Amino acid sequence: MKLFTFKPGGVHPKESKLTKDKAFVRLKPPKIVVIPLSQHIGAPNTSLVKVGDHVKIGQVIGSAKAFVSAPVHSSVSGEVIAIEPRPHPLGTKVPSVVIKNDFKDEWVEDIKKISSLEEVQPKDLVGIIRDKGIVGMGGATFPTAVKLSPPKGKLIDTLIANGAECEPYLTTDYRTMLEFPDKIIDGLLIEIRITGAKHAFIAVENNKEDAAELLEKRVKTRGLKNIEVVLVKTKYPQGGEKQLIKAVLGKEVPSGKLPLEVGAVVENVGTLKAIAEAVFEGKPLIERGTTVSGTAIKNPGNYIIRIGTTVEDIIDQTGGLTKKLRKLIFGGPMMGLAQSTVEVPAIKGTSGILFFGEEALDMAPQDESPCIRCSRCVDFCPMGLMPVLIDHASRRNDLKLAESLNATDCIECGVCSYVCPAKRHLTENIRKAKQKILKQRKIEAAKQAAFEKLKALREKQAKEAQEKLKKEVK
Ligand code: SF4
Ligand code: SF4
C-alpha cells in the first residue's frame, strides 16, 4: 500500500500504546448512571423525563428542536432519581439525568431494524442517524446527521474513514478496526448511500498495518470497488480532519472552512460502527469502546462502557489503581482534557480515560523561559501558523493581530508547546485568543442581527405611515 502524509509539521511522540493487544471487554453496567443532557456540539437538550419516572434502555431522555443537536438515550433500565447539574468532562457542571439501574436490562420496544439499504431513502437514513443520537466519537462530538446534510449547492464526493488514531495511549479505534471491520465498512456504505459519494477511503496509520490489511481483505472479499484502504504515516496529528484530507486527497481545506468545502467528509471508525448499529440493529448510542490506560491503573485495557458510567465505577470495575492518582485525562495526552474529579462520567466522545501518578508532574505545564526565537513552533505547526506570534498577541490581548494571524484555524493539537525548548505555554494562550475572537464574532453577529431587525421594523413603520398619509390626502 502507498504511504500518504500531510505537510507541513507534525511530530511523533512516544506511542505508549499499552493496550494495543487487549481485546474489548464489556464492563458491567453500574448501579447508577449519570447521563449529561448534552454530549455534543450544538444546542443543549432538555430533559424529557422527570424524577421518579421508570426508563428503559434506548429510551430518549433528552432532546432539542434545533438542527445542530443530538438526542441522548438511557443506557440502563431503572428509575430516574435526580435531574441536576453534575460534573461533565468539559470541566463544568451540566444538567444530567441520574438513573438507578434496576438490572432488568429492559429495552424500549419500538426498535426498527433495516435489512437492506436499498429499502430506505437517504433522507430516512439521516433521520435514523439523528434519532439514534450519533455524534463524532473521535472526541469532536459533532452531530453526524448534520455533517451528512450539506447545504444546498454543496456536494459530498469523497468519504474518509479515520483510522489514524494518532494520540499516544489510545487504542480504541485500532481495536474497533480489528474486531469490527465489517461494521466500519457497513457504516461507510450507509454514508455512500446517503451522500452519493463516488470514492471512499479507509485511512489507517502505518503502525497499525495489520488492521489495514484486515480491512483491505474484507473490502476485497465483499467485492467493493468504491472503497480503498490507504496507509498514512504514523505522525501526530495525522487524525486531524484537515491533515487527513491533505494526506489522502492532497487537498487543502481553506482557512475557516469545513471539509465540506473540498467535497469531503471525514468520519471516525467508531462513529461508522455506531452508524451501522443504528441502522441495521436499531441501536442508539448508549455505550462505546474506550481505552482505559496510563501508569496508575491496574488493568489497562479497551473496554465497552455504558454512557454515564462514572470514572469511580470504571476504576472499581477494572481492578483499581496502583498508585495515588495525580492526573486524570479524558482523551489522549496531547489534546485530552484534564479532570478534577472521579465523579465525571464517560460520554459519547470519551475515546480514552488516562490515569497517571506522581510521574504526571513531568507532563504538567512547566515554568516558561524567554522565547529563544528558534522557530520550532512554526516549523512543526500542522496548520502552518505562527504560534510564537499568536502567543505574543494573545498575551497582549491584541485580538485583531491574533485574528489576522489566523488564530481561529488553530486545532489546539499542542504540537507547538510540545516542541518549544523554552516551554512556552503556547497552546494555552492561543486557545484563549481563539475563544475570545469566537466570542467577539458571536456578539458582533448578534448585534448585526438585532440591527437588521430594527431596520426592518423602522422601514415597515415608515411604509405604514406613508400609506396612512396617502389615504388621508385622498
Ligand atoms: S496548537 Fe495550534 S498553533 Fe500550536 S501547533 Fe497546533 S495548530 Fe499550530
Ligand atoms: S518554539 Fe518556543 S522558543 Fe522557539 S520560537 Fe517558538 S516560542 Fe520561541
Side-chain angles (χ1 to χ4, degrees):
M1 272 180 250
K2 204 178 154 200
L3 189 64
F4 298 87
T5 193
F6 68 90
K7 275 184 189 150
V11 288
H12 189 169
K14 192 171 168 225
E15 293 180 21
S16 304
K17 305 261 186 193
L18 315 177
T19 51
K20 200 169 180 279
D21 300 321
K22 306 266 183 174
F24 278 119
V25 172
R26 192 176 290 276
L27 289 190
K28 277 191 240 148
K31 283 185 193 147
I32 305 275
V33 285
V34 179
I35 304 180
L37 278 165
S38 289
Q39 303 178 37
H40 59 272
I41 288 178
N45 291 321
T46 49
S47 176
L48 300 180
V49 291
K50 54 187 191 313
V51 173
D53 280 0
H54 180 266
V55 292
K56 294 183 176 176
I57 303 178
Q59 182 176 330
V60 181
I61 55 172
S63 71
K65 286 205 175 90
F67 177 60
V68 184
S69 66
V72 287
H73 303 75
S74 180
S75 58
V76 295
S77 60
E79 186 191 341
V80 176
I81 56 169
I83 300 169
E84 60 192 19
R86 290 286 184 111
H88 187 280
L90 283 179
T92 51
K93 283 195 172 181
V94 162
S96 306
V97 179
V98 185
I99 304 165
K100 188 174 169 204
N101 192 352
D102 63 10
F103 293 100
K104 289 183 185 159
D105 264 358
E106 280 180 301
W107 274 82
V108 280
E109 289 88 21
D110 58 340
I111 293 176
K112 287 191 191 78
K113 299 175 185 177
I114 304 297
S115 47
S116 159
L117 282 184
E118 276 61 47
E119 285 173 14
V120 201
Q121 290 305 312
K123 71 170 182 14
D124 296 330
L125 288 170
V126 176
I128 294 171
I129 292 169
R130 183 189 310 280
D131 293 347
K132 301 297 177 188
I134 312 297
V135 300
M137 291 169 74
T141 68
F142 190 75
T144 305
V146 178
K147 210 175 192 179
L148 297 172
S149 310
K152 266 196 184 137
K154 295 267 184 235
L155 287 178
I156 299 169
D157 59 27
T158 312
L159 301 169
I160 304 177
N162 187 350
E165 200 172 44
C166 53
E167 275 266 14
Y169 287 95
L170 303 189
T171 55
T172 311
D173 292 345
Y174 172 63
R175 293 307 315 181
T176 304
M177 291 187 280
L178 282 186
E179 296 179 42
F180 307 100
D182 282 299
K183 287 195 176 180
I184 294 169
I185 295 167
D186 286 343
L188 262 183
L189 292 173
I190 293 166
E191 290 206 346
I192 289 171
R193 167 95 173 124
I194 290 172
T195 60
K198 300 277 177 294
H199 318 276
F201 297 92
I202 305 176
V204 185
E205 271 187 321
N206 66 337
N207 61 352
K208 310 171 193 58
E209 227 170 315
D210 50 349
E213 280 164 11
L214 177 64
L215 282 158
E216 191 174 44
K217 201 169 144 195
R218 292 304 307 144
V219 167
K220 276 196 182 143
T221 308
R222 293 175 65 172
L224 302 167
K225 300 266 186 289
N226 49 352
I227 299 180
E228 188 183 340
V229 182
V230 293
L231 276 180
V232 287
K233 196 175 166 190
T234 305
K235 183 162 88 164
Y236 177 84
Q238 191 69 259
E241 280 191 337
K242 292 185 178 179
Q243 283 66 38
L244 208 55
I245 289 170
K246 186 85 185 278
V248 178
L249 308 178
K251 290 182 181 173
E252 187 106 36
V253 179
S255 169
K257 301 285 181 193
L258 295 169
L260 199 55
E261 202 60 30
V262 294
V265 159
V266 178
E267 207 74 88
N268 167 267
V269 288
T271 313
L272 290 166
K273 171 181 173 275
I275 289 173
E277 290 174 345
V279 171
F280 295 124
E281 299 169 28
K283 186 177 163 188
L285 195 42
I286 54 130
E287 62 180 14
R288 65 155 297 148
T290 299
T291 299
V292 173
S293 191
T295 50
I297 192 88
K298 194 168 174 194
N299 291 306
N302 297 294
Y303 296 98
I304 294 179
I305 297 171
R306 296 275 175 108
I307 302 295
T309 306
T310 62
V311 170
E312 205 168 11
D313 278 320
I314 293 167
I315 295 172
D316 271 0
Q317 281 208 48
T318 56
L321 297 169
T322 53
K323 52 176 92 164
K324 194 169 167 34
L325 183 61
R326 297 300 298 264
K327 191 154 193 173
L328 171 65
I329 301 173
F330 267 40
M334 297 295 283
M335 281 183 93
L337 295 171
Q339 305 295 318
S340 57
T341 169
V342 291
E343 286 172 25
V344 73
I347 61 169
K348 294 177 184 180
T350 310
S351 53
I353 305 177
L354 306 181
F355 300 83
F356 297 99
E358 201 64 34
E359 70 288 351
L361 300 181
D362 301 341
M363 293 159 61
Q366 295 171 18
D367 288 343
E368 298 180 296
S369 52
C371 170
I372 56 167
R373 295 167 187 262
C374 65
S375 88
R376 276 172 69 81
C377 56
V378 179
D379 298 341
F380 285 89
C381 173
M383 292 302 293
L385 303 176
M386 289 193 274
V388 57
L389 297 184
I390 306 173
D391 169 64
H392 196 54
S394 174
R395 286 173 202 252
R396 289 188 306 161
N397 208 23
D398 188 343
L399 297 185
K400 268 204 174 132
L401 179 60
E403 195 167 15
S404 70
L405 291 164
N406 297 325
T408 51
D409 279 348
C410 170
I411 56 167
E412 301 178 27
C413 65
V415 164
C416 49
S417 302
Y418 180 82
V419 298
C420 174
K423 306 292 170 211
R424 308 282 294 163
H425 301 172
L426 300 168
T427 312
E428 192 185 317
N429 289 322
I430 295 166
R431 185 186 296 128
K432 275 185 198 159
K434 184 178 155 182
Q435 282 166 355
K436 283 184 198 167
I437 295 166
L438 293 176
K439 197 172 165 193
Q440 217 173 49
R441 283 186 191 166
K442 233 180 180 174
I443 294 170
E444 289 305 323
K447 270 190 202 163
Q448 187 62 30
F451 174 74
E452 297 293 343
K453 216 170 161 185
L454 190 67
K455 198 174 142 199
L457 186 72
R458 290 219 171 121
E459 279 169 4
K460 192 178 161 212
Q461 283 170 342
K463 207 172 160 194
E464 282 169 0
Q466 246 179 11
E467 270 161 23
K468 198 174 162 202
L469 195 66
K470 266 190 209 163
K471 272 185 198 161
E472 280 171 8
V473 171
K474 274 183 196 169

